[in-house]
């Protein structure tokens, strides 16, 4: 994978993954979606370009800057020519976790080296576009009602669990889950089909049988406080995803450029599958 620029946010994530030994490659072969819908779209990566810690930190703690990202992301969501596919495999911590080490985030070596720490669980945060695009199937329970997802009001967050969680947790169970240092009550509403897998960002393959599926909100909300770092971190994770289109590359770039000009958000790039910025950005 060739990436011309690596944002500070992504560098921290990739460094942690390296320490944890998490290559995101499953030991078995998941049934990665190859449905007709996926095959008729061209996908590209979207990434921020805040390369230095100080630049990322300054942006993260500035209300006006974060709100330009909010407007940019929400504008792309409204496009009828571009799909914003947000997915991020941030490990999460479940209070009083009932499962065993197959659900833990990291390799056997990493877990032994960090035995004094409470293990985190494998998780994938996704938006509705990603769920629908990959046609993930719920075989027991019900799908997530995406319109009501809101991290601000203390509501229970509906979650899906991978197939291997069956017998460990039941429908209706409420788990306390830590997500970027905030605790959320989460209700198990469904289980995914056995051997469900997804491939995204050009280099990540996930076998979701041992994963928690945690929903992103249907849109980003403006930050109320300058120091609302939780919202900022979530927003950057949602931004660093994929965009898909059935239209031409030029149409995709035009839609994204319009969103950028309208919102004032400029700190991003669109990459092809090899990690090269598309021509208009070089």
């Amino acid at each position: 994978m060739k990436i011309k620029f690596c944002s500070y946010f992504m560098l921290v994530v990739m460094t942690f993954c390296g320490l944890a030994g998490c290559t995101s490659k499953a030991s078995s072969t998941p049934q990665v979606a190859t449905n007709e819908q996926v095959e008729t779209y061209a996908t590209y990566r979207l990434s921020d370009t805040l390369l230095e810690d100080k630049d990322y930190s300054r942006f993260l703690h500035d209300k006006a800057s974060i709100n330009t990202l909010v407007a940019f992301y929400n504008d792309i969501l409204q496009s009828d020519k571009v799909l914003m596919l947000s997915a991020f495999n941030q490990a999460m911590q479940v209070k009083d976790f009932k499962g065993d080490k197959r659900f833990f985030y990291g390799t056997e070596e990493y877990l032994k080296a960090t035995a004094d720490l409470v293990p985190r669980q494998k998780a994938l945060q996704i938006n509705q576009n990603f769920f629908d695009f990959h046609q993930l199937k719920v075989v027991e329970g019900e799908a997530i009602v995406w319109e009501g997802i809101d991290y601000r009001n203390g509501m229970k967050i509906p979650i899906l669990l991978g197939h291997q969680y069956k017998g460990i947790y039941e429908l209706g169970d409420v788990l306390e889950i830590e997500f970027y240092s905030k605790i959320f009550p989460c209700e198990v509403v469904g289980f995914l089909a056995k051997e469900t897998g997804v491939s995204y960002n050009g280099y990540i393959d996930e076998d979701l049988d041992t994963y928690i599926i945690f929903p992103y909100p249907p849109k980003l909300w403006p930050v109320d406080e300058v120091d609302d770092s939780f919202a900022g971190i979530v927003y950057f994770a949602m931004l660093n995803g994929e965009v898909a289109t059935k239209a031409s590359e030029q149409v995709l770039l035009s839609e994204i450029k319009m969103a950028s000009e309208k919102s004032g958000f400029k700190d991003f790039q669109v990459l092809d599958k090899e990690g090269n910025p598309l021509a208009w950005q070089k």
Side-chain angles (χ1 to χ4, degrees), residues 47 53 59-60 82 101 140 154 159 163-164 178 198 206 217 259:
S47 171
D53 181 8
F59 191 102
L60 195 65
V82 177
K101 64 182 181 180
E140 183 178 336
I159 60 171
H163 186 268
Q164 291 189 35
E178 181 266 319
V198 292
E206 303 282 21

Side-chain angles (χ1 to χ4, degrees), residues 154-209:
M155 65 169 283
K156 284 189 290 190
I157 304 296
I159 60 171
L160 301 173
L161 298 180
H163 186 268
Q164 291 189 35
Y165 271 104
K166 294 184 69 173
I168 298 173
Y169 291 108
E170 305 294 335
L171 294 176
D173 284 352
V174 177
L175 315 181
E176 288 189 30
I177 298 181
E178 181 266 319
F179 179 41
Y180 293 127
S181 299
K182 290 191 71 170
I183 305 297
F184 291 90
C186 300
E187 181 177 358
V188 179
V189 299
F191 292 90
L192 293 177
K194 186 178 181 180
E195 297 182 341
T196 295
V198 292
S199 180
Y200 63 99
N201 275 357
Y203 66 100
I204 299 177
D205 297 319
E206 303 282 21
D207 178 352
L208 301 181
D209 277 3

